[in-house]
Amino acid sequence: MVIMGALILVAITSFSVPEGLVKKSPADVLQTFRSAQHGRPAGLHSNNLLARAGDRAASQNAVHSNATLTAVPGIKVGHQTLAARPTGCTVILAEAGATAGVDVRGAAPATRETDLLNPVDIVQQIPAIVLSCGSAFGLDAAGGVMKYLEDKGIGFPFGGAHVPTVPGASLFDLPVGNPKIRPTADCGYEAARAATDEPVTEGSVGAGAGATIGKTAGLDRAMKAGIGSAALTLPSGLIVAALVAVNAAGDVIDPATGQVVAGVRTIDGQGFADARVLLRKAAPRNRSGGNTTLGVVATNARLDKTQATRVAQMAHDGFARAIAPVHTAVDGDLVFALATGSRTGEADVSHIGALAADVMAEAIVRAARQATGVAGFPALRDLRR
């Protein structure tokens, strides 16, 4: 009984104690708690205590149950999907500012403001990143995000205006639907306005709305992909997360098994031909440049721009594990890295980079598994199993 009482007392004192009990002894507080438990309030309401405990536990569980990019505090994600095509954009907000880096590996990128992320350049933190469909046309979406941020007073102040730095990248999805329908500044503004710190919606939405994969044998044997996200939270409190819009020429591979998750289909359309096998037989047919996988990794660690760039570089290992082939002459593959710095202390960049590669590979696999098919491009869920 003494042990039980001590445990209850510890539970009580872990919360803020009402003012009326500040001068009471531990025994009085314990008796008050017992009375309240038996329906006899005596100055301390057990229901309030238990509600606070429940709220705190629920908050902690919510953090751990969020295994997407928004598991990193301070990061929000919003999508805007133009269903008429489909196409769209995805906005990653870090409104309090985040240190950023970027690494471009593909030979056909469509980007904006990426030069400012070079460690030698002046910008130290950014408030947002935009991923869009629509090839170079889709870069217009960033203008809407700039307007959204300026309206909130975020950006470099000058002459009564605010100039936010908004890097972005676009993937080539014009073969899907009507190529005249593509993301504009309005799309970016709406995606920013929709941004939330709730778990990221995955699948064929936002910048993944027009994304396809498995094009090494031509578009007629390709499949639908989309947005995927994954996160790791370590016991130390370190969080590393990834979000990716997968629009690769290659297949998506499960690194755990080495098997094709989704990609170039067999001639009957119901199985996987495996791009790795096809490449050993003949040159690929896809030379359109209609590809590009766009990734973002984020961490709560404190990094400088050089370290963030290193993390972006290492995260590309996740591309190599989960996409085959990858970083081709017709891909514009890139990874942005964001560090919010809410977790203080020295950061182990090699550790964070290794984890970034892991979550990136997982996010790529999820992008294939969560996709929804459109006319001419079935998703994994559409194939006979």
Side-chain angles (χ1 to χ4, degrees), residues 98-102 117 124-126 129 167 304-306 308-309 337-339:
T99 305
V102 66
L117 304 186
Q124 295 301 306
Q125 291 198 322
I126 62 170
I129 288 172
D304 60 29
K305 288 176 71 176
T306 299
T309 300
L338 295 172

Side-chain angles (χ1 to χ4, degrees), residues 249-331:
D251 293 356
V252 170
I253 309 297
D254 185 345
T257 65
Q259 300 300 307
V260 176
V261 176
V264 58
R265 292 173 291 146
T266 51
I267 294 175
D268 66 4
Q270 291 303 315
F272 302 127
D274 196 328
R276 296 167 296 183
V277 173
L278 295 180
L279 288 172
R280 291 171 180 262
K281 294 180 178 179
R285 284 174 50 195
N286 179 43
R287 300 180 183 276
S288 67
N291 309 294
T292 294
T293 296
L294 307 175
V296 178
V297 293
T299 179
N300 62 342
R302 181 170 295 175
L303 304 176
D304 60 29
K305 288 176 71 176
T306 299
Q307 292 170 322
T309 300
R310 174 58 62 184
V311 169
Q313 291 172 343
M314 293 181 70
H316 271 287
D317 289 354
F319 279 34
R321 294 172 194 168
I323 300 173
V326 71
H327 302 149
T328 73
V330 292
D331 283 305

